[in-house]
Amino acid sequence: MTESTTKPKPDPANAPAPAPAAGGGPEPTTDNENKPSETEDPNDNSKTTSASESDSIPTSETAPEPEPEPEPEPESESESESAPAPAPAPAPAPAPAPEPKLKIEVMPTDWFSQMQYIIFHSELTNLKKGNMNILKECADSKRLLDLKFLDLTNMINRVQTSVIFLSTISGFLNATKSQFNISDNIISVISISISTYVTLILSISKYYKFDEMRESIQVLREKYAILHNKIEHRSDVLGPWADKNLWRFTNPDKKLEEWAIIKNDMDAEYVTLIETKKTLTTEFEIIMDTRSRNIYNIVNKKLTYANRKELAAWAISELELEADIEDKFAEHDEKRSRINRPTMSAKRRQSIQSGHEALEDNWDEDVES
C-alpha cells in the first residue's frame, strides 16, 4: 500500500522553482537543487512554471506517475506590456472619388478700378485724342484746298470752254461765208478778234499758272486723303478696345500685355504721321497764304450755313412724310380692326426706304453650320 504525502506549498517569494526529472515523475527537491546554477538564466519562466505545477501534483514513493504534458506558458504582465502590438493589416485602398464639378464662383470685382485698366484707359484716351487732333487739322486744310481747287477748276474750265467755243465759231463763219453772203472784211475782223481773245486769255492763264497751281493742289489733296485714311485706320484699330466689357472676367495683366503690343505699333506709326503732317503743312502754307485762308474760311462758313439750312429743310420734310405714313397706317389698321381682321404694325419705316438707304448687317444673320 502506497502512502502519498502532499507537501505544503512553499512561499512563492522564497521558494525557487525545481527542475523536472529527466526520466520520469517529479522528485523531491533539496536545498542544493533550489540554488540556481551559474549557467541557468534566473529569468527563465519555464522552470518557475514547472515548479509550481509540480507542487500541486501528488507524488508516490513507489510508483511515479507519468509526467503530464506541459501546459502553454502564460505570458507575464511585464512581457505583455513590453511586447509591441502586432501591426494592423493594411486597409484596402479606397475607391477614387468622382471628380467634383468645377464651380466658378463669381466674386464681386470692380474691374474698372484696377491699376491695369486705369493705365490702359489713360493710354487709349491719349491715342484717340492725338488721332482726332491730326484728323481735324487735316480735314480743315483739305477743306480749304478743296474750295480753292474747285475755284481754279471752274476758272480753267471757263477759259478753255470759251476758247473752244470761239474757235469753233470762227471756223464756222469762214466755212459758211458764201452761203450767208458775209463779206470777207467782216469775216476777217471776227477771225482776228477771236484769235486775239484766245491768245490773250491763254496768256493770262499761263501767267497766273492756273494749271500748275491746280495740279499742285490736286497732289496735295491726295496726300491729305492718304493721311486721313491712315488716321481712320488707326481709329478702326482702337475702336474695339473702347468697349469696357473686354476687361470683365479676364486676366488684367495678360490684357495689358496685349494692349502694349498695339500701343507700341501705334507709337511707332505716330512718329511717321507727325513727320508726314509737318511736310504737308509746309506745302499747304506755300499754296494757301494767309489771305487765301481767310477768304476760303469765310466761303466755307457760308457754304456750311447754306448746307445746314438745306439739310434741316429736308429733315423736316422727312418727318412730315413719316407722320403722314404713320397716320395712313393707323387708319388702315383701324379699318381692318372693324372687320375683325388682324392689324399690322404701323412701324414700317424700312418698307419705304430706297435701295441705298436699306442697310443690312451680315453679322446678324444666323449661319447654319
Side-chain angles (χ1 to χ4, degrees):
M1 186 172 180
T2 59
E3 183 177 356
S4 60
T5 58
T6 303
K7 294 181 180 181
K9 292 183 179 181
D11 189 1
N14 299 323
E27 295 180 356
T29 58
T30 60
D31 294 336
N32 295 329
E33 291 177 350
N34 293 335
K35 294 181 181 180
S37 62
E38 296 176 358
T39 58
E40 291 178 352
D41 189 359
N43 295 326
D44 190 355
N45 296 328
S46 61
K47 295 181 179 182
T48 306
T49 307
S50 300
S52 63
E53 290 177 356
S54 62
D55 291 341
S56 62
I57 298 173
T59 58
S60 175
E61 296 178 358
T62 58
E65 294 181 358
E67 182 179 359
E69 295 181 359
E71 294 181 1
E73 301 176 358
E75 296 181 357
S76 61
E77 294 182 358
S78 60
E79 288 182 354
S80 62
E81 291 177 359
S82 62
E99 296 183 359
K101 294 183 179 179
L102 182 61
K103 295 182 180 180
I104 301 176
E105 297 182 359
V106 180
M107 302 298 293
T109 304
D110 191 358
W111 303 100
F112 311 124
S113 298
Q114 303 177 95
M115 179 186 65
Q116 293 87 345
Y117 178 79
I118 295 174
I119 294 174
F120 153 76
H121 187 266
S122 301
E123 294 175 348
L124 178 63
T125 304
N126 180 263
L127 287 175
K128 292 174 67 175
K129 186 181 295 184
N131 290 342
M132 291 306 299
N133 289 337
I134 299 177
L135 185 62
K136 185 178 183 303
E137 293 181 12
C138 291
D140 293 342
S141 300
K142 188 175 182 297
R143 175 61 178 169
L144 299 182
L145 290 174
D146 290 341
L147 294 175
K148 188 167 186 178
F149 179 82
L150 180 61
D151 286 348
L152 288 175
T153 301
N154 292 335
M155 188 180 300
I156 292 172
N157 289 340
R158 287 194 293 267
V159 169
Q160 296 296 335
T161 302
S162 63
V163 169
I164 294 171
F165 178 76
L166 293 177
S167 298
T168 304
I169 293 297
S170 176
F172 176 76
L173 294 177
N174 286 320
T176 59
K177 61 181 179 181
S178 58
Q179 285 80 3
F180 291 103
N181 294 323
I182 302 174
S183 63
D184 294 336
N185 294 331
I186 296 175
I187 295 298
S188 298
V189 171
I190 294 174
S191 298
I192 293 171
S193 300
I194 292 173
S195 298
T196 304
Y197 171 78
V198 169
T199 304
L200 177 63
I201 198 68
L202 291 178
S203 299
I204 294 174
S205 176
K206 188 175 180 179
Y207 174 76
Y208 284 106
K209 299 179 180 179
F210 291 151
D211 291 332
E212 291 82 355
M213 189 179 298
R214 188 181 67 168
E215 290 298 325
S216 60
I217 291 176
Q218 176 61 21
V219 172
L220 188 56
R221 288 173 66 234
E222 292 176 356
K223 292 180 180 179
Y224 269 114
I226 294 173
L227 180 60
H228 183 93
N229 291 333
K230 286 183 178 180
I231 299 173
E232 289 288 347
H233 174 71
R234 288 167 58 89
S235 299
D236 292 339
V237 173
L238 297 176
W241 286 91
D243 188 1
K244 299 171 65 175
N245 294 322
L246 292 175
W247 288 80
R248 296 181 184 273
F249 307 105
T250 56
N251 187 348
D253 294 329
K254 184 177 180 181
K255 207 68 180 176
L256 189 62
E257 290 177 0
E258 296 176 2
W259 164 251
I261 297 174
I262 296 178
K263 184 180 181 299
N264 292 335
D265 295 340
M266 290 285 177
D267 291 341
E269 188 180 6
Y270 188 77
V271 176
T272 306
L273 292 179
I274 293 297
E275 293 295 328
T276 305
K277 176 179 172 291
K278 181 184 72 172
T279 304
L280 296 182
T281 303
T282 304
E283 296 180 7
F284 173 79
E285 292 180 353
I286 292 174
I287 295 174
M288 298 285 294
D289 55 2
T290 305
R291 181 173 178 275
S292 298
R293 289 200 295 270
N294 293 336
I295 291 173
Y296 285 107
N297 277 323
I298 295 173
V299 173
N300 182 37
K301 290 183 179 297
K302 289 181 179 179
L303 292 176
T304 302
Y305 176 78
N307 290 337
R308 292 185 65 184
K309 285 184 63 176
E310 190 172 358
L311 289 173
W314 280 108
I316 293 173
S317 299
E318 286 186 352
L319 291 176
E320 292 176 353
L321 177 62
E322 291 295 328
D324 293 341
I325 293 173
E326 295 293 335
D327 293 340
K328 290 181 181 180
F329 281 157
E331 182 181 353
H332 179 268
D333 290 343
E334 183 180 359
K335 187 185 296 183
R336 291 178 65 87
S337 63
R338 291 175 185 172
I339 57 178
N340 296 327
R341 290 187 179 181
T343 60
M344 300 175 65
S345 175
K347 282 293 181 182
R348 284 165 281 198
R349 174 69 178 88
Q350 66 277 7
S351 62
I352 60 171
Q353 285 182 338
S354 302
H356 67 279
E357 293 179 318
L359 300 178
E360 296 180 357
D361 190 355
N362 295 330
W363 295 101
D364 292 338
E365 297 178 359
D366 295 333
V367 180
E368 297 181 0
S369 56

mmCIF file of all heavy atoms in Angstrom, residues 8-25:
data_model
loop_
_atom_site.group_PDB
_atom_site.id
_atom_site.type_symbol
_atom_site.label_atom_id
_atom_site.label_comp_id
_atom_site.label_asym_id
_atom_site.label_seq_id
_atom_site.Cartn_x
_atom_site.Cartn_y
_atom_site.Cartn_z
ATOM 1 N N PRO A 8 3.326 20.823 1.671
ATOM 2 C CA PRO A 8 2.704 22.170 1.701
ATOM 3 C C PRO A 8 3.356 23.105 0.688
ATOM 4 O O PRO A 8 4.529 22.976 0.388
ATOM 5 C CB PRO A 8 2.957 22.636 3.147
ATOM 6 C CG PRO A 8 4.135 21.871 3.606
ATOM 7 C CD PRO A 8 4.078 20.538 2.947
ATOM 8 N N LYS A 9 2.554 23.995 0.180
ATOM 9 C CA LYS A 9 3.049 24.943 -0.851
ATOM 10 C C LYS A 9 4.000 25.914 -0.207
ATOM 11 O O LYS A 9 3.706 26.520 0.821
ATOM 12 C CB LYS A 9 1.916 25.729 -1.490
ATOM 13 C CG LYS A 9 1.027 24.848 -2.334
ATOM 14 C CD LYS A 9 -0.029 25.701 -2.988
ATOM 15 C CE LYS A 9 -0.929 24.854 -3.855
ATOM 16 N NZ LYS A 9 -1.951 25.645 -4.529
ATOM 17 N N PRO A 10 5.191 25.993 -0.765
ATOM 18 C CA PRO A 10 6.134 26.979 -0.218
ATOM 19 C C PRO A 10 5.731 28.389 -0.587
ATOM 20 O O PRO A 10 4.919 28.630 -1.464
ATOM 21 C CB PRO A 10 7.467 26.595 -0.869
ATOM 22 C CG PRO A 10 7.086 25.948 -2.134
ATOM 23 C CD PRO A 10 5.768 25.237 -1.859
ATOM 24 N N ASP A 11 6.343 29.287 0.168
ATOM 25 C CA ASP A 11 6.082 30.703 -0.119
ATOM 26 C C ASP A 11 6.614 31.046 -1.493
ATOM 27 O O ASP A 11 7.779 30.788 -1.785
ATOM 28 C CB ASP A 11 6.774 31.541 0.961
ATOM 29 C CG ASP A 11 6.377 32.980 0.868
ATOM 30 O OD1 ASP A 11 5.550 33.311 -0.027
ATOM 31 O OD2 ASP A 11 6.885 33.805 1.653
ATOM 32 N N PRO A 12 5.792 31.597 -2.360
ATOM 33 C CA PRO A 12 6.285 31.898 -3.721
ATOM 34 C C PRO A 12 7.387 32.914 -3.742
ATOM 35 O O PRO A 12 8.170 32.965 -4.666
ATOM 36 C CB PRO A 12 5.043 32.419 -4.459
ATOM 37 C CG PRO A 12 4.027 32.697 -3.425
ATOM 38 C CD PRO A 12 4.366 31.927 -2.205
ATOM 39 N N ALA A 13 7.508 33.709 -2.714
ATOM 40 C CA ALA A 13 8.592 34.686 -2.731
ATOM 41 C C ALA A 13 9.911 34.079 -2.411
ATOM 42 O O ALA A 13 10.947 34.581 -2.822
ATOM 43 C CB ALA A 13 8.286 35.814 -1.720
ATOM 44 N N ASN A 14 9.942 32.937 -1.609
ATOM 45 C CA ASN A 14 11.197 32.343 -1.178
ATOM 46 C C ASN A 14 11.496 31.034 -1.862
ATOM 47 O O ASN A 14 12.638 30.625 -1.930
ATOM 48 C CB ASN A 14 11.181 32.132 0.349
ATOM 49 C CG ASN A 14 11.022 33.452 1.084
ATOM 50 O OD1 ASN A 14 11.554 34.445 0.656
ATOM 51 N ND2 ASN A 14 10.321 33.416 2.212
ATOM 52 N N ALA A 15 10.460 30.339 -2.339
ATOM 53 C CA ALA A 15 10.694 29.002 -2.908
ATOM 54 C C ALA A 15 11.108 29.114 -4.336
ATOM 55 O O ALA A 15 10.376 29.670 -5.137
ATOM 56 C CB ALA A 15 9.433 28.142 -2.755
ATOM 57 N N PRO A 16 12.295 28.537 -4.678
ATOM 58 C CA PRO A 16 12.696 28.555 -6.110
ATOM 59 C C PRO A 16 11.973 27.470 -6.855
ATOM 60 O O PRO A 16 11.489 26.512 -6.271
ATOM 61 C CB PRO A 16 14.199 28.317 -6.054
ATOM 62 C CG PRO A 16 14.402 27.554 -4.779
ATOM 63 C CD PRO A 16 13.366 28.012 -3.803
ATOM 64 N N ALA A 17 11.930 27.616 -8.130
ATOM 65 C CA ALA A 17 11.231 26.644 -8.977
ATOM 66 C C ALA A 17 12.120 25.460 -9.201
ATOM 67 O O ALA A 17 13.229 25.589 -9.696
ATOM 68 C CB ALA A 17 10.861 27.284 -10.309
ATOM 69 N N PRO A 18 11.672 24.160 -8.838
ATOM 70 C CA PRO A 18 12.503 22.954 -9.042
ATOM 71 C C PRO A 18 12.502 22.554 -10.493
ATOM 72 O O PRO A 18 11.524 22.771 -11.209
ATOM 73 C CB PRO A 18 11.809 21.906 -8.166
ATOM 74 C CG PRO A 18 10.390 22.338 -8.108
ATOM 75 C CD PRO A 18 10.400 23.831 -8.138
ATOM 76 N N ALA A 19 13.582 21.910 -10.917
ATOM 77 C CA ALA A 19 13.677 21.428 -12.308
ATOM 78 C C ALA A 19 13.069 20.054 -12.377
ATOM 79 O O ALA A 19 13.245 19.237 -11.486
ATOM 80 C CB ALA A 19 15.154 21.386 -12.728
ATOM 81 N N PRO A 20 12.327 19.729 -13.433
ATOM 82 C CA PRO A 20 11.715 18.411 -13.557
ATOM 83 C C PRO A 20 12.764 17.367 -13.801
ATOM 84 O O PRO A 20 13.815 17.608 -14.376
ATOM 85 C CB PRO A 20 10.784 18.589 -14.762
ATOM 86 C CG PRO A 20 11.369 19.707 -15.531
ATOM 87 C CD PRO A 20 12.008 20.598 -14.519
ATOM 88 N N ALA A 21 12.447 16.091 -13.332
ATOM 89 C CA ALA A 21 13.371 14.966 -13.507
ATOM 90 C C ALA A 21 13.446 14.588 -14.943
ATOM 91 O O ALA A 21 12.491 14.727 -15.690
ATOM 92 C CB ALA A 21 12.910 13.782 -12.648
ATOM 93 N N ALA A 22 14.588 14.034 -15.314
ATOM 94 C CA ALA A 22 14.799 13.677 -16.716
ATOM 95 C C ALA A 22 14.082 12.413 -17.091
ATOM 96 O O ALA A 22 13.617 12.288 -18.202
ATOM 97 C CB ALA A 22 16.311 13.520 -16.976
ATOM 98 N N GLY A 23 13.934 11.419 -16.183
ATOM 99 C CA GLY A 23 13.401 10.124 -16.581
ATOM 100 C C GLY A 23 11.970 9.927 -16.260
ATOM 101 O O GLY A 23 11.330 9.069 -16.842
ATOM 102 N N GLY A 24 11.363 10.566 -15.384
ATOM 103 C CA GLY A 24 10.001 10.240 -15.021
ATOM 104 C C GLY A 24 9.354 11.357 -14.286
ATOM 105 O O GLY A 24 9.515 12.510 -14.610
ATOM 106 N N GLY A 25 8.620 10.971 -13.173
ATOM 107 C CA GLY A 25 7.856 11.926 -12.402
ATOM 108 C C GLY A 25 8.731 12.836 -11.634
ATOM 109 O O GLY A 25 9.942 12.697 -11.550
#
